[in-house]
Amino acid sequence: GARELRRPVRGYASRALARRFRQTVRRGQGVAGLDAAGLHRLRIAVKKLRYTAMFFAPLFSARRAAGMRRALTALQDALGEINDCATAERLLEQAGARGARVTEARQLVARANDTLRDEQRRKLKAAWKALRAARRFWE
């Protein structure tokens, strides 16, 4: 407690960022094959890492932090879109209306949702690679 408060904040920030980064990498192992629940857990880890990075970034070089910021933003965006697709899928399954037009509408929405999810999965792979390659500005 008190002892930690007397230490320089930059050291604490580096440790916190390194811990969040390790947690994120662990959650993202096998990212291409993660199911909706695994992607949701990864999304939460990415969000925590991004907000921690944004909070502590002013303690470090802005130029060095920029790549990580971009990578985290792209990753969080792709994961958010994929989560929205999973939510839309659940809502379509729960919709109670019946009839030929409703069935046709559901099929159209489902196809559009599948296309969007597949596109976001491709973006996710690229964003994950960018995160892994990004300079860890806190080191």
Side-chain angles (χ1 to χ4, degrees):
R3 191 173 179 195
E4 189 71 23
L5 288 173
R6 289 191 296 273
R7 299 171 91 182
V9 71
R10 191 172 168 151
Y12 174 82
S14 293
R15 291 187 302 279
L17 286 161
R19 186 180 74 248
R20 290 278 186 218
F21 187 81
R22 283 191 309 274
Q23 290 169 343
T24 301
V25 167
R26 196 173 341 115
R27 290 278 186 214
Q29 296 230 336
V31 70
L34 290 177
D35 62 4
L39 289 171
H40 182 67
R41 286 188 295 273
L42 175 59
R43 182 172 165 249
I44 291 168
V46 168
K47 182 170 68 167
K48 289 178 180 181
L49 174 59
R50 181 178 176 205
Y51 294 162
T52 303
M54 288 171 51
F55 182 79
F56 288 125
L59 298 173
F60 303 91
S61 163
R63 190 171 53 90
R64 287 185 64 182
M68 179 65 70
R69 183 180 40 79
R70 282 191 303 273
L72 286 168
T73 299
L75 190 54
Q76 192 174 10
D77 288 348
L79 287 164
E81 290 286 338
I82 292 169
N83 188 64
D84 290 348
C85 289
T87 300
E89 208 170 279
R90 277 194 309 277
L91 291 174
L92 281 173
E93 290 172 8
Q94 293 171 359
R98 302 276 180 247
R101 286 185 176 261
V102 172
T103 300
E104 185 180 344
R106 274 194 195 130
Q107 290 170 346
L108 287 170
V109 171
R111 277 197 301 273
N113 193 54
D114 290 346
T115 300
L116 177 61
R117 185 187 57 242
D118 293 346
E119 178 185 321
Q120 292 306 317
R121 281 276 191 170
R122 284 189 296 279
K123 287 183 180 180
L124 175 63
K125 286 181 190 178
W128 183 251
K129 285 182 182 180
L131 175 69
R132 296 300 307 265
R135 179 183 229 175
R136 290 162 187 79
F137 65 89
W138 56 88
E139 292 179 343

